[in-house]
Amino acid sequence: MSESPVLTKTPAATGTPVGRHDRTTPVLGRLGLFTVLLGAALPLIDFFIVNVALPTIDHDLDAGPALLELVVAGYGLSYAVLLVLGGRLGDMAGRRRLFLIGMAAFGLTSLACGLAPDAWTLVGARVAQGAAAALMLPQVLATIQAATAGHRRARAMSLYGATAGLSMVAGQILGGVLVSAAPLSSVFGESAGWRSVFLVNVPVAVVGLVLAARSVPETRSDRPAPVDVPGTLLLALSLVTLLAPLTEGRAAGWPLWTWVSLGLFPFTAFAFYRVEQRADARGQTPLVPPSLLRLESLRRGLMLVVPFSIGFGGFMFVIAVALQQGLRMGPAAAGLSLAPMAATFFAASLAGPRLVRRFGSRVVTAGGIIQGVGVVVLVLTVWRGWPDLGLLGLLPGVAIAGLGQGLQLPVLFRIVLSDVPAERAGVGGGVMTTTQQAALALGVATLGTLFLALAPAAGMRDALVVTLLVQLAAVVLTTLLSLRLPRAVG
């Protein structure tokens, strides 16, 4: 039986009969929570699902390195650039409405990706798909913040963190299985494998639309602010000047425009900050209010989300390339090699709420130490076992690392948003998801570029070991920064 959006009634004043002059408070039920978490999973799965499909896309569409990186970077850029704007639009027009629009657009753009006849069409469809994801994802956190409270909110935030982390790993696993299984081979022939990784989203989006229409309550800000056009444009310019050259530079041979773009980044970022600061001082509501960053929990939590996501995004890209091109694993085997990471991440995420009640934010510190041990085990495994590594050899390292990650990410999400007022839920969620997405893309760009630059001369093994050691440095930084988190977690 379907579950409808729940509304609780609160008397306007003592002695006023219930049902007269009431205020209705939206409550997110179980089916509604499942639905918005489905909406959170889809964009993150699609960021990583193409990693194991890139070789077959290259073979089928004759894409070449530069266009292949645009298939990944185009999605990530449009997604990161528009996330905060998506949160603001949800505050204004209604989060359920924007969630439905975003889900429908995500299904249509996924269809366009799956039917793309050439590489440039695929890149354009991926950019549009990232924009659709940016409309949908911020509404998830904002709806949870606005339609839950107390223990239910803590549980929902833990499940969101578990969903986010699991989706990033599951995307790569699912991509490998779909590319190998090629369920649409009778229609698309040899290209069925990579097309399946996009077309699988279409029926899921249809189911999500039906469930959202029946189970997700409408929420919006009581005091919605207009769109901050200067802030939106400057944020977009800042992210593009940083991420575009880093993702395309190596494949394009580092032409002049990449260095000019990187040189412009500090200036565009400073201009963005000053414009937002002046708008905040005038009592306006900028896209990213600097006053929001004065919240200690949000500021310190974001400082950990950045290195964590850089390491995570870079690792997922590099391991997909190393296993397929270095160890000659098939897409399914390369994807399934990360199944132990997904399993331990999920188990740790479920145990997280109980551990947080007892140990507070020290759970994040413990998670960082465990993840560091997992990365060290992986380094030793690769160094000693290459090129005869298989799924069993990789299992201990990825399982331990996944356990540590599962103790960190859900708790960090709770910490970041714990003190954000409900009326600014869309802005707070947009800031957090933008930071995470930009850091994931930065990880792919920096660690991916490092690995691909080292591999021709040093070999796949040594390139992977160096990249893992750089990730280990990010894990150490995350662990040290976790000691500065507020001990109690709201």
Side-chain angles (χ1 to χ4, degrees):
M1 188 170 66
S2 65
E3 179 179 336
S4 299
V6 181
L7 296 175
T8 59
K9 295 184 176 180
T10 307
T14 305
T16 303
V18 174
R20 185 179 175 186
H21 302 298
D22 295 345
R23 289 197 312 246
T24 57
T25 304
V27 176
L28 189 67
R30 290 183 179 178
L31 184 58
L33 179 60
F34 170 81
T35 304
V36 295
L37 291 179
L38 177 66
L42 281 175
L44 291 169
I45 286 174
D46 260 61
F47 185 82
F48 292 95
I49 200 169
V50 298
N51 283 347
V52 291
L54 290 176
T56 55
I57 294 173
D58 187 21
H59 177 268
D60 187 56
L61 299 182
D62 193 23
L67 280 181
L68 282 179
E69 293 199 13
L70 275 179
V71 170
V72 178
Y75 177 87
L77 273 173
S78 64
Y79 185 22
V81 163
L82 297 173
L83 271 167
V84 180
L85 179 61
R88 175 65 59 83
L89 292 174
D91 288 349
M92 293 172 59
R95 292 152 188 155
R96 176 176 175 271
R97 179 181 298 174
L98 263 293
F99 183 84
L100 289 168
I101 293 172
M103 179 72 78
F106 193 83
L108 290 172
T109 52
S110 296
L111 180 63
C113 289
L115 299 179
D118 54 60
W120 277 111
T121 303
L122 178 59
V123 169
R126 283 285 283 172
V127 171
Q129 190 186 35
L135 286 180
M136 178 169 57
L137 185 63
Q139 318 317 325
V140 176
L141 281 170
T143 298
I144 289 173
Q145 288 287 98
T148 61
H151 175 70
R152 293 182 66 252
R153 179 181 294 175
R155 178 175 173 272
M157 286 302 302
S158 295
L159 288 173
Y160 175 86
T163 301
L166 193 61
S167 298
M168 291 187 280
V169 182
Q172 213 135 306
I173 298 172
L174 180 62
V177 171
L178 287 172
V179 169
S180 297
L184 299 173
S185 57
S186 61
V187 180
F188 294 107
E190 291 185 0
S191 67
W194 70 262
R195 295 183 187 278
S196 295
V197 305
F198 299 115
L199 295 176
V200 71
N201 293 329
V202 178
V204 177
V206 171
V207 171
L209 284 170
V210 172
L211 293 178
R214 297 174 66 87
S215 64
V216 177
E218 181 65 281
T219 63
R220 55 169 51 87
S221 174
D222 292 334
R223 297 184 297 275
V227 173
D228 176 13
V229 175
T232 301
L233 294 176
L234 283 170
L235 176 62
L237 189 59
S238 299
L239 292 174
V240 168
T241 54
L242 174 65
L243 296 177
L246 289 177
T247 52
E248 282 296 296
R250 185 198 62 84
W254 297 105
L256 179 62
W257 72 264
T258 58
W259 299 109
V260 172
S261 181
L262 287 172
L264 286 174
F265 167 69
F267 298 99
T268 56
F270 180 73
F272 170 69
Y273 175 75
R274 291 292 294 172
V275 165
E276 300 298 273
Q277 189 180 48
R278 282 198 293 267
D280 213 9
R282 289 196 297 264
Q284 300 170 347
T285 307
L287 190 70
V288 180
S291 59
L292 202 63
L293 298 177
R294 287 199 287 268
L295 296 173
E296 183 184 27
S297 55
L298 183 138
R299 185 178 66 255
R300 294 190 176 182
L302 288 180
M303 289 174 63
L304 272 77
V305 169
V306 170
F308 179 94
S309 300
I310 288 174
F312 196 105
F315 170 79
M316 297 298 285
F317 175 79
V318 167
I319 201 70
V321 176
L323 295 183
Q324 290 188 88
Q325 296 184 11
L327 296 180
R328 302 300 176 189
M329 287 187 180
L336 290 173
S337 66
L338 297 176
M341 177 180 283
T344 54
F345 188 105
F346 189 63
S349 299
L350 293 179
R354 291 195 305 273
L355 295 173
V356 167
R357 284 196 292 271
R358 184 172 180 183
F359 300 107
S361 64
R362 292 298 174 261
V363 172
V364 178
T365 307
I369 294 170
I370 294 170
Q371 184 189 359
V373 170
V375 175
V376 170
V377 171
L378 266 178
V379 168
L380 295 175
T381 301
V382 171
W383 182 258
R384 298 176 59 184
W386 195 276
D388 300 318
L389 274 177
L391 300 184
L392 288 178
L394 292 167
L395 189 150
V398 296
I400 296 170
L403 182 67
Q405 290 165 342
L407 291 174
Q408 294 175 82
L409 194 61
V411 182
L412 284 177
F413 285 166
R414 282 181 58 183
I415 291 171
V416 168
L417 296 177
S418 59
D419 295 328
V420 176
E423 65 271 13
R424 303 179 89 177
V427 177
V431 169
M432 189 186 76
T433 49
T434 297
T435 302
Q436 182 201 17
Q437 183 60 37
L440 286 172
L442 188 59
V444 173
T446 53
L447 295 185
T449 297
L450 173 66
F451 172 78
L452 293 173
L454 291 174
M460 284 280 183
R461 185 196 71 169
D462 291 357
L464 181 56
V465 166
V466 171
T467 307
L468 287 171
L469 289 175
V470 173
Q471 187 196 4
L472 181 61
V475 174
V476 171
L477 177 61
T478 304
T479 306
L480 292 175
L481 289 174
S482 70
L483 298 174
R484 301 184 67 243
L485 289 172
R487 184 65 181 266
V489 179

